[in-house]
Amino acid sequence: MIARLTGTVVTKGVDHIVLDVRDVGYKVSIPLSTYYDLPEIDASVSVFVHTYVREDTFQLFGFLTLDERDLFDALLRVTKVGPKLALAMLSGLAAGDLQQAIIAGDVPRLSAVPGVGRKTAERIILELREKLAKGQPELRDGMRARGTAHTVVSDAATALQNLGYSRLVAERALRQ
């Protein structure tokens, strides 16, 4: 299995990149969070990869952080959640916020992601809440619970969304 690729960004799209690794171009599907943090074309980058293999498909999904890839892997283990939906979830919410929403049982927040209905959100919470809560002390990139400050940031993100900004752009602006 391919676990990591390091190479030069040849093309960059909102949902994928083509990475040149020693004269072989790999098309890697990415979430919006990865797209925003990618370097410019012709720059070198390393991405952590989830290799998705089925009888009719072979796809690579890339992430700049291990936390995103690990959360993607966890989402794929949920019944009726495939790679496209898992990628959409990581595009709609930052990895830490997605994990917090699952642990908190925040069905409305998960349902706000396009393609995630109420039943799917409830299933994700049911299947992942305990697993993610148990792993919380060892989280790497500051994906810990944020308490009251998190609520204020969440409210500000909702306000920016009401002004027309996408949730990911709003959350990124508030983090900066």
Side-chain angles (χ1 to χ4, degrees), residues 3-175:
R4 187 174 68 99
L5 288 172
T6 301
T8 305
V9 178
V10 177
T11 62
K12 183 168 129 175
V14 175
D15 63 343
H16 74 279
I17 59 172
V18 174
L19 202 59
D20 182 353
V21 180
R22 298 188 185 210
D23 295 329
V24 177
Y26 293 93
K27 181 179 179 183
V28 182
S29 297
I30 57 171
L32 280 174
S33 56
T34 297
Y35 171 77
Y36 287 126
D37 292 333
L38 282 172
E40 296 302 316
I41 293 177
D42 292 330
S44 181
V45 69
S46 278
V47 291
F48 296 100
V49 174
H50 172 89
T51 306
Y52 185 77
V53 180
R54 294 293 178 260
E55 62 186 48
D56 61 338
T57 186
F58 182 91
Q59 290 179 289
L60 301 176
F61 294 90
F63 309 93
L64 289 177
T65 68
L66 281 171
D67 290 325
E68 284 183 324
R69 191 197 60 197
D70 293 345
L71 192 52
F72 181 82
D73 290 344
L75 287 167
L76 288 180
R77 287 188 217 107
V78 174
T79 307
K80 296 189 179 183
V81 174
K84 287 183 182 179
L85 184 58
L87 203 60
M89 293 185 77
L90 284 166
S91 292
L93 293 169
D97 295 334
L98 178 57
Q99 180 172 5
Q100 282 308 116
I102 293 168
I103 292 170
D106 193 347
V107 173
R109 189 154 189 208
L110 293 176
S111 298
V113 175
V116 179
R118 182 168 189 79
K119 287 183 181 181
T120 303
E122 290 171 349
R123 185 180 309 112
I124 290 168
I125 290 168
L126 179 68
E127 294 187 30
L128 292 181
R129 178 185 274 173
E130 288 183 28
K131 293 176 187 174
L132 295 178
K134 285 179 185 176
Q136 203 166 13
E138 297 98 33
L139 294 176
R140 291 178 287 275
D141 291 332
M143 287 173 53
R144 299 183 192 282
R146 296 180 197 125
T148 311
H150 182 262
T151 304
V152 172
V153 171
S154 179
D155 290 346
T158 301
L160 287 171
Q161 269 189 293
N162 291 338
L163 292 172
Y165 294 96
S166 73
R167 180 154 202 99
L168 188 64
V169 170
E171 288 174 351
R172 184 176 305 281
L174 290 170
R175 271 195 305 265

